[in-house]
Amino acid sequence: MKKYGLVASGGGYRSFYSAGVLVWLKQQGVPIVHLTSTSSGNNIVLDYLLWDWDKEELPPVLTKTFRLNLKDIFEVFANFLGLQPPLLPNGSHLFTVNKTMCRKSLHLDDPDRRQILARNLQAVKWDIMTTNLSQRRGELFNINEILAQIDDASLSRFMDVFIAGITAMPYFKAVKMNDDYYVEGGYTDNTPLRSLFADPEVDEIIAIDFTDFDYGAELDKLYGQNMLLLAGTSIDMNILVNDIQWGLPNRAILSEAILINKMLEKVKKTSLEIDGKTYYHKPLHILKPKNLESMTISLEHMTAQKDYFKLGQEEAGAALQAVLAS
């Protein structure tokens, strides 16, 4: 049976669409052997890897998302964002992520979940994409290496990388690791495909393109808002600007991946070595949901999490069923 790699791109609540795709693939018995992620995609992948695949219907945070009573709403937000406002705002950022609170909300203090994570990481590779601001480049972290032994020390290191991978400015304070500042990987690569193309264990790749979004209609809405809504408009505009910064370059990255596959086909090669690394030709299956809103900060439309998850399941079934059967 073919083995698959999957990219969990960033995009706020859009990532619940990726969760729907991942759960659908698991329910079909499709072997996912390599995952890459950034931003909110990190939350989805971690939840997937904390899932007891044989005993639970859904990953733990998704279970709370679907139940969504008052306690669950608080815990889901703590898990998805881990936000803590500074006691004395200084204008540089709105929130920091409390490492201890975030680790706990992610179930990483639970010994049973740690065992599940260790077991699942034996079957699945996971890379997190970040942006190293000090070095002005994207930086990929191999989580299997960081969590080769799961204990408090390795989880502390993992949390630094995880939080760096979800840090969007100016909402969050940049994370400092080894004297360099890090933020989320979406600024350099919101669809980190490279390590999947370099993994000989991956036969085919599944990616999700969140860039089919009507930026013009969103600008019309924001420009037409009442001036009295300045604070809300500012947050919404910042979210849109971040979407544009992550989304437009993402189209070029996906186009380049498709082009490389076509070039390899043209020269009748299955692989190519560049700078000492070998990249393999791999069929790339791209799902393209339309006009999903990120709502990273907004508390409106609380059913979006469920709606996007169900949409991911439906569109995965429609688009991938024939592919998997071939």
Side-chain angles (χ1 to χ4, degrees):
M1 190 175 188
K2 291 177 181 176
K3 298 176 182 178
Y4 289 82
L6 184 138
V7 183
S9 301
Y13 283 0
R14 295 182 183 117
S15 290
F16 282 93
Y17 180 99
S18 303
V21 175
L22 262 176
V23 169
W24 183 87
L25 290 167
K26 175 55 69 175
Q27 290 171 342
Q28 308 308 308
V30 177
I32 303 295
V33 298
H34 197 157
L35 292 158
T36 62
S37 65
T38 193
S39 193
S40 55
N42 297 344
N43 298 73
I44 298 305
V45 171
L46 179 60
D47 196 34
Y48 175 79
L49 293 173
L50 289 168
W51 179 18
D52 191 336
W53 297 332
D54 297 324
K55 297 179 181 178
E56 296 175 312
E57 183 179 356
L58 291 173
V61 174
L62 273 172
T63 298
K64 293 179 180 179
T65 302
F66 268 62
R67 190 172 53 217
L68 218 59
N69 60 33
L70 186 61
K71 180 173 181 291
D72 293 325
I73 290 173
F74 173 80
E75 291 186 357
V76 167
F77 270 95
N79 180 286
F80 200 70
L81 297 173
L83 301 183
Q84 185 177 52
L87 293 176
L88 295 174
N90 60 17
S92 66
H93 58 281
L94 292 175
F95 304 99
T96 56
V97 180
N98 183 293
K99 190 173 173 179
T100 301
M101 182 182 75
C102 188
R103 186 188 67 239
K104 182 178 179 180
S105 71
L106 293 167
H107 303 292
L108 291 173
D109 287 345
D110 183 335
D112 293 334
R113 291 293 174 187
R114 288 187 182 190
Q115 289 185 8
I116 293 169
L117 177 61
R119 183 177 69 236
N120 289 343
L121 282 174
Q122 291 177 359
V124 182
K125 299 175 186 175
W126 181 19
D127 301 317
I128 286 180
M129 173 62 74
T130 67
T131 297
N132 185 324
L133 285 179
S134 302
Q135 302 296 327
R136 299 172 298 284
R137 58 180 171 81
E139 191 167 330
L140 201 66
F141 287 88
N142 183 322
I143 303 305
N144 301 75
E145 289 183 358
I146 294 173
L147 295 179
Q149 173 93 23
I150 297 182
D151 52 30
D152 288 342
S154 64
L155 284 170
S156 179
R157 169 64 172 158
F158 166 76
M159 287 304 302
D160 287 338
V161 173
F162 180 89
I163 293 171
I166 65 172
T167 295
M169 297 173 70
Y171 307 113
F172 313 118
K173 184 179 180 180
V175 175
K176 204 166 190 180
M177 295 188 290
N178 300 324
D179 295 325
D180 285 348
Y181 280 108
Y182 287 82
V183 291
E184 71 153 86
Y187 292 108
T188 48
D189 187 353
N190 200 44
T191 309
L193 290 161
R194 183 172 298 180
S195 62
L196 299 180
F197 275 102
D199 184 353
E201 296 297 314
V202 172
D203 296 311
E204 301 188 8
I205 298 171
I206 297 168
I208 301 161
D209 181 5
F210 291 128
T211 63
D212 193 353
F213 187 78
D214 192 341
Y215 295 115
E218 187 68 13
L219 283 171
D220 285 341
K221 182 179 78 173
L222 291 171
Y223 289 151
Q225 285 188 8
N226 191 307
M227 287 295 292
L228 296 176
L229 299 176
L230 180 59
T233 303
S234 176
I235 291 175
D236 287 342
M237 181 59 80
N238 272 301
I239 291 173
L240 180 61
V241 169
N242 280 332
D243 277 352
I244 293 170
Q245 288 174 326
W246 302 325
L248 297 185
N250 194 60
R251 284 181 174 243
I253 289 168
L254 290 167
S255 298
E256 287 173 3
I258 294 169
L259 178 62
I260 289 170
N261 265 343
K262 289 181 177 179
M263 289 173 63
L264 286 169
E265 291 168 7
K266 190 72 173 179
V267 297
K268 297 182 180 179
K269 287 182 175 287
T270 58
S271 64
L272 189 65
E273 185 177 321
I274 302 173
D275 294 333
K277 285 191 176 182
T278 301
Y279 299 92
Y280 300 87
H281 175 278
K282 300 179 189 295
L284 179 60
H285 310 289
I286 303 174
L287 297 170
K288 297 184 177 182
K290 185 177 179 62
N291 274 335
L292 301 189
E293 295 183 297
S294 64
M295 291 182 288
T296 306
I297 303 296
S298 172
L299 303 182
E300 297 177 0
H301 309 118
M302 288 300 298
T303 62
Q305 302 165 48
K306 298 180 185 180
D307 296 342
Y308 291 175
F309 174 80
K310 292 176 180 177
L311 183 64
Q313 288 194 303
E314 292 168 3
E315 295 192 352
L320 299 176
Q321 191 75 64
V323 171
L324 300 176
S326 62

